[in-house]
Amino acid sequence: MPDTIRTFGDFQFDASARELRRQGTPLPISAKAFDLLAYLIEHSERAVGRDELISAVWGRVDVTDDLLAQTLGRARRAVGDSGAEQHSIKTIPRFGYRWIRAEGISTVVEAGQAEPGVEHDFPRVLAIASDAPAADARQPARGRRTRWIGLAALAAVAIAALLFAIRRPIEVLDSAAQRMTVVLPVAVTPVARETAWIRLGAMEYVASVLREDASDNVMPSEQVLALFGADVTAAALDSDRLRSKEPGIDAMTVVACRATLVGTAWNFSIDVRHAGHVQTFSGDANDPLEAARIAVAGYLRRLGIAAPNGSSLSPLTELVHRVDAAVLAGNMEDARALLDAAPASLRSEPDVQLRAAQVAFHSGQLAQAQTLYTGLMEHESDLSATMRGRLHMGLGSVAMRRGDFQTATARFSEAIDSLRRELIPDRRLIGVALMDRAAAQAPLDLADAALSDFGRARIEFESVDDVIGIADVDTNFGLLNLLQGHFSEALEAFDHAAATYARFGAQDSLATVYVGKASAQLATLNYAAADATAATAWKLVPLLNSPILVERVASVRARALIGLGKLSEAATLLDHVSPSEERASASEINLLRAKIALERGDTKEATARASGLIEQAASTHPPMGGFPLSEAVLLVTEAARRSSQSSALGPLRTSLDAVDPKFDRDLPLAREVLDAEIDSSQRNPAAADHFDRALALAETARGAATLTDVSVAYLGYLLACGCGEPERTASIAGRLAAIAQNDYRANRAMQAFYESIGDTRSAARALDQARRLAGARDVSLPW
């Protein structure tokens, strides 16, 4: 069955490549908008009903009208339509939509046809590219880390339309396979512990030479390992294994390597395959990397490129590649042992110091990483532009983990400036730095700047065909949407990225996506869905390399369990993680323990735990980034209200006066609720004004969870004070009923409201619903 490219006007719609082109140029379009166009075009002979279209595009029926309208708007804009000018997609009132642009819609192209007269040869790919790792970006084989926005401060203002305006489907990159070189792991004979490093160390050496000397666009080594596995060898070239994993492999240049010890010397051979043709190049030397250098030099001469100097490789080169091999294999202990055993003269080399800092960072030892990076700063003027860029990226990454987003932004900016000064800039590395800077800017309310950096990062990754890098951008788009309170768009972005990560077996990145997805579900009070997503992420924990990520997974799953009232399960889960006290995740996990105590009715323990965390966070300069200070304030306030101790909240309010709200964008809201409770305890009518301001802040797209927190507290105040404002009370109750049907606290509050107006039947229904949602919570306790 031939593939088809449908044309209309100057547009071409290529379903198999998932590309919409205008005059041959691919247009940016979100995945769902593309799917919507595809379904309407495929069924252009008839009108398509609204529910049918939703089911076809989203695979479910519970999609809001807003999301459908947004997706339809993107699809219309992509093909030059608008709501008023419907040249392509016509709205059928009270039914659905129809594709009406029928001219020239059936251009047929046979898939796989080659142009006649093309001779196949070993191509010289002229791409300005390198895959040298960022200071914090060298990834283990089991999954590349996604650079991500901190999830503690969920906030508002929707800019999703702008985000997806610069997105394009990952699938279109498959057409670029012919410009990619893949270096496979080295087959080593004999197999022994002392020669095991050659498998990945020599692989990365060959890949780096082809990038730097041949300007080849070489697939990142961690991406190769994730896609094909560490055991793939030259034998796989004669099977369907590579083809099944990567359909575009036949269009790529594949380099398979063998290292064989013959007596006391090493023979290193490389088989270079492209378009069905294979040529072999080999070298012999006493050292395996030196033999590899000789073999690669032969290949470079075949391409007409001057080979590197004939001098032997230094001990420094061997150490660096052995450390890289350990890190690629995810074995940080071996990497650290190699570094510790190296002679002092080598350990003082910048390349080695940089890798020591990377290993410390990936092992969660932030203080050690900071010390090592700072030590390198003393010699910054002696470093190359790329090395300076990596150094600043490392310092920025440490600052990010500590929640110091301002310092991180400055460091990443310096890194970008340094990297661009290189004679041949490393575009992949620049993309990583841009994405990291965007992630640092987002919590600082610099959404426009973050959006711009994400878009520029995508361009850099596309220029070097880094599919996982593009998925990282999608993940961060999802996290930015989450931070902005656009939860449907966040979920779409996460699902899109997850498909790529699953294909590559990138477990760390996949777990990051699940954490983001579960956080979006929690923000909309969908505790059951969040629990299912978080449980899936928890199954990945044995495969994860980052202890910080494990803590994130535990935290989001505990939140889902608490929401479901599964308090013992949540407590047991938190007992499985013990983060370093220097990390914000340690305080967040302690805050969740306070939340469990509050749900069990132990307001004293909840207050003591949360108050201590607030005092610690407020006294740190800058405040502990990533720690949800506002959430802790709301928890202490709720505990005081439940125990009728709101009059004791004064000192807490004083301690918060010195905290700059830019470190927690929900802090102004928490302060308004705190002030309202203090005024309420003093029977001050100004309490209502504080609650009104808090409610207005909560309504700015922060999600149903925050809105429920404020509404429950506000309704409790109105019912307790007997202020004689039935209309305001009914308004808050109605709002609460509309947004929080699946929330235990909301149903307890609604029960009290119905009882206050004498509606016993509705009160009984609310109580029954609360009992169904209670889990281990006691419905007789104050709410």
Side-chain angles (χ1 to χ4, degrees), residues 222-265:
E222 65 268 19
Q223 191 166 315
V224 174
L225 297 177
L227 188 59
F228 303 123
D231 61 335
V232 66
T233 62
L237 292 174
D238 299 319
S239 71
D240 292 330
R241 177 178 177 186
L242 297 188
R243 198 173 295 106
S244 66
K245 289 290 232 172
E246 174 50 74
I249 195 71
D250 289 331
M252 299 179 183
T253 298
V254 178
V255 179
C257 307
R258 297 184 301 276
T260 305
L261 181 63
V262 181
T264 60

Side-chain angles (χ1 to χ4, degrees), residues 280-316:
T280 301
F281 306 87
S282 64
D284 296 284
N286 291 330
D287 179 85
L289 286 186
E290 176 62 17
R293 186 191 64 77
I294 296 170
V296 175
Y299 175 39
L300 293 178
R301 285 191 293 270
R302 171 67 180 82
L303 296 176
I305 301 171
N309 293 331
S311 59
S312 299
L313 297 177
S314 67
L316 172 62

Side-chain angles (χ1 to χ4, degrees), residues 330-500:
N331 195 331
M332 297 299 163
E333 290 301 322
D334 279 2
R336 191 177 297 107
L338 285 166
L339 293 165
D340 291 343
S345 58
L346 292 183
R347 288 202 304 272
S348 63
E349 291 287 339
D351 273 332
V352 177
Q353 290 185 48
L354 189 67
R355 280 161 175 79
Q358 294 167 4
V359 170
F361 179 85
H362 283 304
S363 301
Q365 298 169 339
L366 300 186
Q368 183 182 359
Q370 175 77 41
T371 299
L372 290 166
Y373 285 131
T374 302
L376 266 175
M377 285 288 291
E378 298 175 5
H379 310 286
E380 183 180 7
S381 60
D382 299 327
L383 303 178
S384 68
T386 297
M387 281 288 286
R388 288 197 301 273
R390 293 177 188 167
L391 170 58
H392 286 293
M393 289 178 72
L395 288 166
S397 297
V398 173
M400 275 285 285
R401 289 300 190 200
R402 288 176 166 167
D404 187 354
F405 302 117
Q406 288 183 318
T407 297
T409 298
R411 289 296 187 187
F412 292 134
S413 295
E414 292 181 69
I416 294 165
D417 290 342
S418 293
L419 293 171
R420 284 177 173 156
R421 293 193 191 104
E422 195 64 83
L423 183 62
I424 302 179
D426 184 336
R427 300 195 65 179
R428 180 176 286 109
L429 197 54
I430 292 173
V432 172
L434 283 164
M435 188 162 59
D436 282 346
R437 185 172 70 178
Q441 290 167 333
L444 298 175
D445 274 342
L446 300 173
D448 289 343
L451 176 61
S452 174
D453 277 352
F454 280 141
R456 291 157 68 192
R458 171 178 286 276
I459 291 170
E460 299 295 338
F461 288 134
E462 286 184 345
S463 73
V464 293
D465 304 322
D466 187 342
V467 178
I468 288 186
I470 295 168
D472 286 350
V473 174
D474 284 330
T475 299
N476 280 288
F477 273 143
L479 291 167
L480 183 56
N481 274 312
L482 177 60
L483 191 67
Q484 299 297 325
H486 236 236
F487 304 115
S488 295
E489 298 290 7
L491 291 171
E492 180 181 352
F494 291 143
D495 287 340
H496 193 62
T500 297

Side-chain angles (χ1 to χ4, degrees), residues 194-228:
E194 59 270 18
T195 61
W197 68 272
I198 300 172
R199 185 168 188 75
L200 302 182
M203 166 198 181
E204 177 59 16
Y205 169 73
V206 172
S208 64
V209 170
L210 294 180
R211 291 188 198 100
E212 294 164 11
D213 294 310
S215 296
D216 275 9
N217 186 13
V218 181
M219 182 180 287
S221 296
E222 65 268 19
Q223 191 166 315
V224 174
L225 297 177
L227 188 59
F228 303 123

